[in-house]
Amino acid sequence: MSAETFTAAAELADATAPGGGGPGPVEPPLPGRGRVVLRRFAARRGALAGAGVVVLLFLLAFVGPHLTSWSYTDIDYTALREPPSSNHWFGTNRIGQDVFAQTVRGLQKSLLVGLLVGTVSTAVAAVVGACAGYFGGWTDRGLMFLVDLLLVFPSFLVIAILAPRLKGAGWLAFVGLLALFAWMITSRVVRSMTVSLRDREFVRAARFMGVRPVRIITRHILPNVASFLIIDATLTVGGAVMSETALSYFGFGIQSPDVSLGTLISDYTGAAVTYPWMFFFAAGLLVVFVLAVNLIGDGLRDAFDPTATGPGRRRRGSRGARRGTGGAESAGAGRAAAPEGTPS
């Protein structure tokens, strides 16, 4: 690192330190950037629609059980396979259980599984990838060997074998299994981004000033990969819900008497034609949630990407191009008239 860079970094630290005689702490530009990201996200109608749908689904999952007098375990022996009615909004199943109560309970469980898996796996990927990329050497080799080892294992088969043996541990153990195999690809991307960041001037300045590696990673590395982590976590939630549904469909996920969207779809697949209300409410909510999450992920990607062009920016660019066509000759003439050696 050049001496000028070190001197500038030291002066900046003295100026921003309390009582250092400088103008005080410099406000980070994050609020401004946050406003720009929110404005870009709000310009995407699909992303806004997806966010609204996800909010409504969460309200349905956590408020819905309080809107009905039926629990997902209650049985109405006077209404077997009853279609939707004022007493049972989504109808009843073959033994008289309320389908609405079961559906909102299954949606709640699937959303909790997706959120926890997305949060845990993204956090693990961020820590492993950042440590491997920043420290390098044997730390990098050891962590990447672990990543490669986990990538070799067939995750679906491993979870299918271990999940039945963890029934007594509850559904949180199932969440841990899903999160165990959901972070490796993300950690590789974070490692590559960290390798490109660790030689930047602000990281080198912090290192030469004696800042501890953990603080450099948390204050300088991770904030610069936060946009990727947010997008990846959003998409991981949708993928985790799909994985939970698939595993529960085959009997390896949420165990009875609890329910999830996967167990409901599995139990009522045979009744999809004869008693469609038992199957299509749970299946429809699953499809709607995954589509909404994908829309949010696309919107976040475009909002964080400064090179993304939204519909409004494309229209403005095209008008600018049309206006610039008429002045091309005058601009060219101006450059031609400039003296030789004068920057145009």
Side-chain angles (χ1 to χ4, degrees), residues 15-255:
T16 57
V26 178
E27 292 294 331
L30 291 179
R33 186 189 180 193
R35 284 193 295 269
V36 172
V37 170
L38 286 177
R39 186 168 63 250
R40 290 177 179 173
F41 184 82
R44 306 282 173 169
R45 295 182 179 178
L48 284 180
V53 169
V54 169
V55 171
L56 290 177
L57 289 178
F58 270 93
L59 289 175
L60 177 63
F62 293 95
V63 179
H66 303 287
L67 300 178
T68 178
S69 58
W70 298 98
S71 172
Y72 72 97
T73 56
D74 292 341
I75 298 176
D76 186 1
Y77 294 101
T78 64
L80 305 180
R81 300 187 182 91
E82 183 180 285
S85 63
S86 58
N87 191 27
H88 298 283
W89 298 341
F90 286 2
T92 59
N93 61 9
R94 60 177 63 93
I95 63 174
Q97 292 175 315
D98 187 78
V99 175
F100 175 80
Q102 287 201 317
T103 302
V104 294
R105 171 67 178 185
L107 178 63
Q108 181 184 121
K109 188 63 67 175
S110 294
L111 291 180
L112 286 175
V113 170
L115 280 177
L116 288 176
V117 171
T119 302
V120 173
S121 63
T122 302
V124 173
V127 172
V128 172
C131 290
Y134 180 80
F135 292 108
W138 285 105
T139 302
D140 185 18
R141 297 188 190 96
L143 292 175
M144 288 302 102
F145 175 77
L146 175 63
V147 169
D148 294 337
L149 186 63
L150 290 176
L151 285 173
V152 169
F153 284 109
S155 58
F156 189 91
L157 181 60
V158 173
I159 295 175
I161 294 174
L162 295 179
R165 292 168 170 78
L166 297 175
K167 289 182 179 180
W171 62 278
L172 288 176
F174 177 64
V175 169
L177 280 177
L178 286 178
L180 179 64
F181 294 98
W183 59 272
M184 291 85 72
I185 301 298
T186 304
S187 68
R188 278 191 165 279
V189 178
V190 173
R191 172 192 173 274
S192 300
M193 298 174 71
T194 303
V195 169
S196 66
L197 287 170
R198 70 183 179 186
D199 293 327
R200 300 283 294 273
E201 290 294 330
F202 62 93
V203 176
R204 296 170 63 189
R207 188 164 57 243
F208 276 94
M209 291 172 64
V211 180
R212 292 178 300 174
V214 174
R215 189 172 180 83
I216 293 177
I217 291 174
T218 56
R219 294 293 300 272
H220 298 289
I221 301 296
L222 292 181
N224 281 279
V225 300
S227 58
F228 166 75
L229 292 176
I230 292 172
I231 298 169
D232 182 79
T234 303
L235 299 177
T236 301
V237 170
V241 172
M242 290 296 294
S243 299
E244 181 275 326
T245 302
L247 289 165
S248 298
Y249 182 87
F250 292 105
F252 303 123
I254 303 299
Q255 302 296 322

Side-chain angles (χ1 to χ4, degrees), residues 259-284:
V259 295
S260 69
L261 293 181
T263 60
L264 293 176
I265 293 173
S266 174
D267 292 340
Y268 304 134
T269 300
V273 178
T274 53
Y275 306 103
W277 60 86
M278 299 183 190
F279 174 81
F280 283 105
F281 284 115

